[in-house]
Amino acid sequence: MIDLYTWTTPNGRKVSIMLEEVGLPYTSHPIDITKGDQHGPNFVKISPNHKIPAIVDHDNEVVMMESGAILLYLAEKTGMLMPGEDKARWRTMEWLMWQMGGIGPMLGQVHHFVRFNKGKSAYAEERYLNEAKRLYGVLDARLADHEYLVDDYSVADIATWPWISRFEWQTIDLDDHPNVKRWYLAIAGRPAVQRGYHVPKKLQEVPMP
Ligand SMILES: N[C@@H](CCC(=O)N[C@@H](CS)C(=O)NCC(=O)O)C(=O)O
């Protein structure tokens, strides 16, 4: 049994979607980051960076934070959603790191400046919106000749998709990125994604362009 500490955010949903996809039993525990739960002393023992998501795997008492590391851990534990063959495996790692280093932090800044603090810094709004558009362009180009980020659906897609599901917050029109839209809808149609999206609680339906 795995304990998942999470909230209704893209980084949290990566792990709940992954757990639903691989079918491992888990219990979700809400950490309400709007109320400061991420700073609670018990949670910080599990996640020393004070951020969700984090897991405790009671099979072997592995305690882990950082969504990218958790996705790789669950892929290795189950032998699912990460290619075994070296070339595809490293390509998957490459796109997973692209998400962790680019899509997550940059779109996170768009949420901060454009969605929640509009008008406070025109410079930051422009900078991060431009970077978001650039990253959407990179994603669209990759998906022009790939059904998924690598060959088959993998942890790279699972890491990226929940961030793209906030396209409305990012003021991005998916019609401007038709390959992203096709990929987004295909993943949104997966039952495990529909279930994982609503962990630890349902706020709204999965956004549909
Ligand atoms: N690199 C981390 C980022 C985690 C992260 O930024 N989590 C956010 C929610 S999506 C959080 O817990 N924020 C609370 C805070 O910053 O106080 C990961 O991928 O797990």
Side-chain angles (χ1 to χ4, degrees):
M1 178 61 87
I2 291 177
D3 282 317
L4 166 64
Y5 298 85
T6 192
W7 192 239
T8 54
T9 71
N11 288 321
R13 287 175 177 144
K14 290 178 196 174
V15 178
S16 46
I17 288 171
M18 179 71 177
L19 283 163
E20 293 290 340
E21 291 282 5
V22 299
L24 286 174
Y26 71 101
T27 305
S28 70
H29 305 274
I31 300 295
D32 186 343
I33 62 172
T34 68
K35 296 209 171 99
D37 290 358
Q38 70 273 35
H39 306 300
N42 288 336
F43 180 65
V44 171
K45 282 186 202 143
I46 296 166
S47 181
N49 195 34
H50 296 235
K51 287 183 191 283
I52 64 95
I55 61 163
V56 177
D57 183 347
H58 294 284
D59 278 357
N60 46 16
E61 295 310 319
V62 162
V63 178
M64 194 177 286
M65 63 174 185
E66 282 296 324
S67 60
I70 297 170
L71 292 182
L72 290 172
Y73 171 76
L74 294 172
E76 194 167 302
K77 182 180 171 88
T78 57
M80 292 170 75
L81 296 164
M82 181 74 174
E85 186 265 321
D86 261 4
K87 211 169 159 189
R89 182 178 166 76
W90 282 108
R91 190 63 71 214
T92 306
M93 203 71 90
E94 176 185 52
W95 283 98
L96 176 62
M97 295 304 147
W98 176 77
Q99 186 288 313
M100 292 298 294
I103 284 278
M106 294 300 116
L107 298 188
Q109 296 297 335
V110 173
H111 297 172
H112 181 81
F113 286 106
V114 177
R115 169 88 183 178
F116 293 113
N117 291 285
K118 200 156 183 58
K120 285 194 185 154
S121 171
Y123 174 79
E125 284 180 42
E126 186 187 353
R127 173 178 163 80
Y128 292 117
L129 270 176
N130 283 342
E131 181 61 1
K133 285 180 193 147
R134 192 191 68 76
L135 287 165
Y136 268 84
V138 171
L139 184 59
D140 202 62
R142 175 68 183 175
L143 293 169
D145 52 5
H146 292 82
E147 188 178 356
Y148 294 104
L149 274 168
V150 187
D151 302 326
D152 298 325
Y153 177 64
S154 74
V155 288
D157 302 289
I158 292 174
T160 307
W161 185 90
W163 282 96
I164 304 304
S165 77
R166 291 243 158 116
F167 59 90
E168 288 159 326
W169 287 23
Q170 297 148 11
T171 64
I172 293 283
D173 183 350
L174 286 191
D175 285 332
D176 295 338
H177 306 282
N179 303 305
V180 177
K181 185 174 177 182
R182 186 259 312 146
W183 166 90
Y184 178 82
L185 289 172
I187 295 174
R190 296 178 69 90
V193 172
Q194 288 285 333
R195 290 194 301 274
Y197 185 87
H198 300 303
V199 175
K201 64 176 179 177
K202 183 167 181 174
L203 292 180
Q204 55 166 111
E205 298 300 332
V206 172
M208 286 300 184

